[in-house]
Amino acid sequence: MTTDDGGVLSRARVATRLPAGDLERARRFYAEKLGLHPVDERPGGLLYRCGGTDFVVFRSTGASPGTFTQMGFEIDEDIETAVTELRRRGVVFEDVDVPGFSTRDGIAEIEGNYPSKGAHGERAAWFRDSEGNLLGIGRPTR
C-alpha cells in the first residue's frame, strides 16, 4: 500500500473496455464510420489509441444495455463540424431529452460541466456503435 494521498489508482492509466458481439463488424464500424484502426490486436480483442488514451473492443457474449454513455471522446474541433463529418460517414446521432438538457440537431448544450477545466459547460452528442455501445463526443465551453 502506498502512503501518498492519491493511492495507487491515482497514478493509473484508465482504459475503456467495450463489448462486441461481432468483432469484425465492430472493426468495420470503427474504421469506416469513425476513421479509427487498431494499433494492436489479439484473438478476441482490438486495441485502439486516441490522443494517448487506449480503449479496447473485445468479443463478448454479454452486451451493454446502452442506456448510458460508455465512452466519450473529448474533442478540440467545433462540435458541429465533428457531427457533420461523422454523419457523412454514416454515424446516426441519438435524440436525447432528459431533465437538464435535450439535443437539437443532435447536439446538446449542458451547463455546469467541467468547471475544473475552466469551462462553464459542454456541447455534446451521442451515437451507438455497431454493437449498441453508447458513445459520446463533447467539447467543453468556455
Side-chain angles (χ1 to χ4, degrees):
M1 178 153 185
T2 172
T3 58
D4 68 353
D5 292 333
V8 67
L9 294 182
S10 70
R11 294 182 305 279
R13 289 169 303 286
V14 175
T16 298
R17 305 291 190 251
L18 299 171
D22 184 326
L23 199 55
E24 288 310 309
R25 177 178 61 206
R27 178 197 303 267
R28 284 190 307 274
F29 176 88
Y30 282 85
E32 294 169 9
K33 308 291 188 204
L34 306 184
L36 300 175
H37 302 279
V39 296
D40 196 6
E41 55 188 278
R42 62 172 174 76
L46 305 171
L47 175 68
Y48 293 87
R49 185 162 293 134
C50 298
T53 302
D54 296 344
F55 72 94
V56 171
V57 177
F58 69 97
R59 183 178 301 117
S60 176
T61 57
S64 165
T67 57
F68 54 88
T69 307
Q70 293 163 256
M71 183 174 72
F73 296 90
E74 186 176 309
I75 61 172
D76 294 326
E77 294 80 11
D78 177 75
I79 195 156
E80 283 89 354
T81 302
V83 166
T84 298
E85 177 186 328
L86 291 170
R87 278 187 174 142
R88 184 180 51 76
R89 292 174 166 261
V91 172
V92 176
F93 284 86
E94 298 282 308
D95 289 322
V96 177
D97 188 7
V98 296
F101 67 88
S102 61
T103 55
R104 185 176 201 178
D105 195 27
I107 300 170
E109 306 277 341
I110 308 166
E111 292 299 318
N113 277 8
Y114 304 117
S116 63
K117 293 182 178 185
H120 59 78
E122 176 185 28
R123 300 190 72 214
W126 294 266
F127 60 92
R128 294 181 190 282
D129 71 5
S130 61
E131 308 309 298
N133 297 305
L134 187 60
L135 309 178
I137 59 172
R139 181 175 185 198
T141 55
R142 291 176 169 78

